[in-house]
Amino acid sequence: MKRILLYIAIAVTVLLTSCNSFLDTENYTEKDLTNFPESVEDANQLLAGIYSSMNVDVTSGFYLSELASDDRLGGGAQGDKFAHAIDRLMNVGTDMCGGLWAARYRGIERCNLLFENIGRVTNWSSEAEKDQLVGEVYFLRAMFYFELAQVYGQVPLMLTTVADNLPKASTDDIYARIASDLKEAIEKMDTEPYDPNRAGHATRWAAEALMARVYLFYTGYYKKDSLPLADGGTVSKSEVITWLDECIRNSGHDLVQDTEKPENSFYNLWPYSNEYTAEDYAWAKEKGVKWVGDGNIETVFAIRYNNLGNWDYTGYTNMHATHFGLRTPNGNTSTFPFGEGYGIGPVNPQLIADWQAAEPNDPRLWGSVIDIENDLPAFEWGADLAMEETGYMQKKYLAITAYDHNTLDDSGNPTFLTSYSHLMYGTPLAPVELACTQDLVLIRFADVLLMHSELTETTDGINRVRRRAGLNDIGAYSLEALKRERRFELAFEGLRWNDLRRWGDAETAIERQSEVMVRNLGNDAVQNASYGGGWAARYRATGGFFPIPDTQVTRSDGVLTQNEGWGTAAAEYMGW
């Protein structure tokens, strides 16, 4: 199922290159917008093309949020100015975040295309079938706009396929459209419980969870009491809680639990515990861990990936895992099972210190973090001009290697593979850039439980998450306890940055990076806090928003204006 869906998505992408503004104008098939879509099959192909737009650029909101947060540094190599700049809320080059802008508006345009033409389709098996598909499209458009709004702030609100030169919409109008789209999605999509065969598709439950995330960010960051709707109404806290209640009770989603070895439950969420790697990974074998796989019961919504073994389709593999892997020549047999990559996003040691002080017996710490000194004694420091190394890397999203015991190398040893995917899925042998198939989970059920606790100011969700980790219940709810639980449970899952922003904690938290000891090119150093006046100064200047791509501003002929805090000398990162 995983592989077939993506092949369909690639095929329909070719068809969609005939659309306007964000895509080229040459027709590659006999179908065009005068006769497409005409059937349910056409509509599903168009839907696949919308989903495929999520896979094409590593510069996602997830990626930017991870590097901007306090818990990770830029890392990479001396020449990876992009990563260092993102970490410092600074700019390098032109169109630094242009890939995300183009990809999300491409997805939005495809959503609008479907809305405008869905009336041509008449062979639905039922009205419910049509409603489910349309509901998925409403969810996707809302998700695209929410990502744009969190990254860029005010953006143009494109609701048709007409290629207008649009100015920024107001914050309230953007969030009203997001909330209205999600409300439509919730009302249209079916109430079928979790089904692994539908993994990768939006559901009513995903829409309810995303509505809660949107509500928390909008009301927190902008200091509002409710979420606006496009028709002039509002979404209240009580309505969001009701939707989350329904998601928790009826979705069929749950926390992953290992009934035989409960202590392994959290570890089983991540690919380092997969069966093809675990047999040769002493830590995993000793514990008896077993990965539950992509599309598991805890995954509410994820971006699905595949290994095509073809450089033309790097966007269809999880390039986040490649960027966050160990810098070459690390990532080979000497650092098994953690594979090679670009070394982006070393973990801030302050997170380790805070975690051990607050929860010294929390198994999630070393289920989420690689302690290089203890775990990887053969690790090569300063490899390939590595910068900002801290001795810690995250282990949720990076290349995971394996050995093929059925194929021997020239020395008679099992063949080393850049990814377990070749054994698990039969995907082609490929370099690491093409080998990472792990889904990027955007909404996990643990997050749903924690959002519910935050909105209700109760301990139910927090304690349910803690019990899965083998930790004691907390007695009384507090926001500080909730903040800690989100930081530890959801570490490195793209949520920390916007949590800090909506709580009003970002400026103080990211400024602490100025105290961090690192190794640059293998030599001890202290983080340079002078760039742009420091982390806190850059946050005050930008509000945590990134620059609108320069080419978009230029092409708008003054209609689109650059965000505050960008376009000045203080915003430009010149490198170490």
Side-chain angles (χ1 to χ4, degrees):
M1 178 67 72
K2 181 175 183 177
R3 300 176 68 192
I4 292 171
L5 283 173
L6 284 171
Y7 284 124
I8 292 173
I10 291 166
V12 78
T13 299
V14 176
L15 169 62
L16 291 171
T17 54
S18 64
C19 300
N20 54 29
S21 66
F22 293 96
L23 311 173
D24 68 45
T25 56
E26 181 179 357
N27 267 320
Y28 292 95
T29 75
E30 294 179 359
K31 292 187 176 184
D32 58 34
L33 297 184
T34 66
N35 62 8
F36 182 86
E38 288 187 326
S39 66
V40 173
E41 181 182 10
D42 287 347
N44 279 310
Q45 287 183 343
L46 182 48
L47 177 63
I50 298 171
Y51 279 107
S52 76
S53 71
M54 295 189 291
N55 297 72
V56 296
D57 197 86
V58 73
T59 315
S60 64
F62 182 103
Y63 187 85
L64 297 173
S65 296
E66 280 297 291
L67 296 188
S69 82
D70 59 332
D71 286 341
R72 299 181 76 171
L73 309 182
Q78 194 170 29
D80 287 324
K81 294 181 181 180
F82 172 83
H84 307 153
I86 293 299
D87 176 51
R88 291 171 168 80
L89 288 177
M90 300 184 72
N91 181 64
V92 61
T94 58
D95 285 0
M96 179 176 69
C97 304
L100 172 62
W101 180 282
R104 294 301 171 259
Y105 274 110
R106 184 178 300 117
I108 289 166
E109 185 164 27
R110 292 176 183 178
C111 292
N112 294 338
L113 176 66
L114 193 145
F115 287 139
E116 290 173 359
N117 294 281
I118 196 68
R120 293 179 181 160
V121 179
T122 59
N123 65 327
W124 302 102
S125 63
S126 66
E127 193 67 20
E129 181 185 27
K130 178 182 178 180
D131 283 347
Q132 176 62 32
L133 186 145
V134 172
E136 289 185 43
V137 180
Y138 273 117
F139 170 88
L140 291 167
R141 189 170 71 173
M143 186 178 66
F144 296 155
Y145 268 120
F146 185 45
E147 187 173 6
L148 289 169
Q150 285 190 309
V151 171
Y152 302 106
Q154 295 177 330
V155 295
L157 198 56
M158 187 178 75
L159 301 177
T160 73
T161 56
V162 177
D164 288 335
N165 185 14
L166 299 173
K168 294 178 180 178
S170 72
T171 298
D172 286 350
D173 284 348
I174 294 167
Y175 279 88
R177 174 48 51 193
I178 294 169
S180 295
D181 280 2
L182 288 175
K183 192 169 184 289
E184 287 278 359
I186 292 167
E187 292 171 351
K188 286 184 177 296
M189 287 195 281
D190 63 50
T191 58
E192 292 297 314
Y194 163 75
D195 179 352
N197 292 319
R198 296 174 67 183
H201 278 268
T203 64
R204 177 189 182 97
W205 322 118
E208 290 174 338
L210 186 59
M211 182 74 90
R213 187 177 293 174
V214 171
Y215 178 90
L216 283 166
F217 185 81
Y218 176 78
T219 57
Y221 187 86
Y222 294 104
K223 310 302 181 189
K224 304 285 188 175
D225 295 325
S226 60
L227 188 59
L229 290 169
D231 64 3
T234 61
V235 172
S236 67
K237 179 190 285 191
S238 63
E239 288 177 288
V240 176
I241 292 171
T242 296
W243 281 318
L244 282 186
D245 282 334
E246 184 185 40
C247 180
I248 292 168
R249 288 195 314 267
N250 300 336
S251 68
H253 288 291
D254 201 351
L255 297 178
V256 163
Q257 300 281 359
D258 189 326
T259 56
E260 295 181 0
K261 296 186 176 182
E263 68 276 13
N264 287 345
S265 296
F266 183 81
Y267 306 142
N268 292 347
L269 284 166
W270 313 108
Y272 56 73
S273 63
N274 81 83
E275 60 183 304
Y276 298 100
T277 297
E279 64 178 316
D280 297 300
Y281 180 20
W283 177 86
K285 188 172 184 178
E286 178 183 348
K287 290 183 176 296
V289 298
K290 187 175 181 180
W291 187 35
V292 290
D294 289 322
N296 63 71
I297 198 169
E298 193 162 338
T299 299
V300 179
F301 186 74
I303 299 177
R304 311 220 76 187
Y305 291 94
N306 195 4
N307 179 347
L308 299 175
N310 188 321
W311 286 103
D312 292 333
Y313 299 118
T314 54
Y316 293 93
T317 62
N318 190 337
M319 290 296 290
H320 296 81
T322 304
H323 277 240
F324 297 153
L326 306 181
R327 193 152 188 89
T328 308
N330 298 302
N332 54 31
T333 56
S334 65
T335 59
F336 181 86
F338 304 113
E340 68 177 306
Y342 305 158
I344 304 294
V347 174
N348 186 339
Q350 292 171 335
L351 169 62
I352 312 302
D354 291 348
W355 205 329
Q356 290 177 322
E359 297 284 0
N361 300 314
D362 191 342
R364 296 173 298 183
L365 172 54
W366 303 120
S368 305
V369 178
I370 304 168
D371 180 349
I372 288 174
E373 182 177 350
N374 292 316
D375 298 341
L376 305 176
F379 182 86
E380 181 179 329
W381 291 86
D384 194 23
L385 305 178
M387 301 289 286
E388 299 183 338
E389 291 181 301
T390 64
Y392 301 104
M393 297 290 286
Q394 62 80 39
K395 60 196 285 189
K396 290 182 176 179
Y397 290 102
L398 77 168
I400 300 296
T401 57
Y403 287 104
D404 183 355
H405 289 268
N406 294 318
T407 305
L408 304 182
D409 61 21
D410 293 340
S411 301
N413 299 314
T415 302
F416 176 76
L417 302 173
T418 53
S419 173
Y420 60 88
S421 297
H422 175 66
L423 299 174
M424 182 171 289
Y425 303 125
T427 52
L429 293 172
V432 68
E433 291 89 348
L434 303 174
C436 296
T437 64
Q438 176 189 2
D439 289 353
L440 188 69
V441 180
L442 300 183
I443 305 175
R444 187 155 65 84
F445 191 66
D447 181 24
V448 173
L449 294 174
L450 293 175
M451 288 192 292
H452 187 270
S453 269
E454 186 170 2
L455 286 163
T456 60
E457 299 185 26
T458 64
T459 61
D460 295 352
I462 295 176
N463 286 336
R464 189 168 165 184
V465 170
R466 289 178 62 81
R467 287 181 208 128
R468 195 263 295 273
L471 300 172
N472 294 330
D473 288 357
I474 62 169
Y477 174 85
S478 71
L479 182 58
E480 288 308 309
L482 182 281
K483 289 178 180 180
R484 285 194 299 272
E485 204 61 36
R486 287 189 65 83
R487 187 185 188 190
F488 301 155
E489 172 69 25
L490 304 172
F492 320 123
E493 297 183 43
L495 299 174
R496 172 70 173 169
W497 171 237
N498 288 310
D499 278 350
L500 289 172
R501 295 174 70 200
R502 66 184 178 84
W503 290 326
D505 295 341
E507 183 179 326
T508 301
I510 62 175
E511 183 63 26
R512 292 181 64 204
Q513 292 176 86
S514 62
E515 308 164 7
V516 174
M517 294 292 299
V518 296
R519 289 191 189 181
N520 291 332
L521 309 178
N523 301 311
D524 291 340
V526 181
Q527 282 285 70
N528 190 330
S530 64
Y531 297 115
W535 281 269
R538 288 301 302 151
Y539 188 81
R540 287 193 295 270
T542 64
F545 296 115
F546 287 95
I548 292 175
D550 293 328
T551 55
Q552 298 295 329
V553 174
T554 301
R555 290 171 183 170
S556 76
D557 195 24
V559 173
L560 196 59
T561 57
Q562 186 54 269
N563 286 337
E564 291 185 6
W566 300 96
T568 66
E572 295 301 312
Y573 177 73
M574 305 307 294
W576 280 88

